Amino acid sequence: MGRPPVLPKKKKDGFWLELRNKGAKTGIIIIRDTEEAMMQAARQYQNTKDVVILGEHRNGKKVEDASGGAKKKKTLSKAA
């Protein structure tokens, strides 16, 4: 018996959000099928959590925007 082969996990297709408690360094990642659903989830959680939009992933890789550069992380938080 040998060691089982281990491949890196492929990222699921969709739009990714990271939800963090206010002031935390890490959080949970949620995935939505459409950009509209992602933005709705971001609005839902922005009152109680820090929301970081990670962007769209397709075929296990992050999708670049039309200008050729990577999309910047957007942080949504309620202004105090």
Side-chain angles (χ1 to χ4, degrees):
M1 286 182 41
R3 182 178 155 276
V6 177
L7 296 174
K9 290 194 172 195
K10 293 182 181 177
K11 294 188 176 184
K12 291 185 178 181
D13 292 350
F15 293 86
W16 289 46
L17 289 163
E18 183 175 11
L19 304 176
R20 302 176 183 177
N21 288 326
K22 302 235 179 208
K25 292 183 180 181
T26 60
I28 62 167
I29 293 176
I30 61 173
I31 304 168
R32 297 290 183 248
D33 291 331
T34 64
E35 187 173 9
E36 182 180 326
M38 175 191 68
M39 294 308 292
Q40 182 180 5
R43 285 190 301 272
Q44 176 184 355
Y45 289 109
Q46 74 182 2
N47 293 332
T48 58
K49 306 271 187 193
D50 287 334
V51 178
V52 179
I53 297 175
L54 300 175
E56 183 180 6
H57 288 77
R58 237 186 273 149
N59 298 324
K61 295 184 180 181
K62 186 170 181 171
V63 176
E64 303 287 330
D65 63 353
S67 65
K71 289 184 180 179
K72 293 183 179 179
K73 286 186 180 179
K74 297 179 187 174
T75 304
L76 300 176
S77 61
K78 190 173 182 179

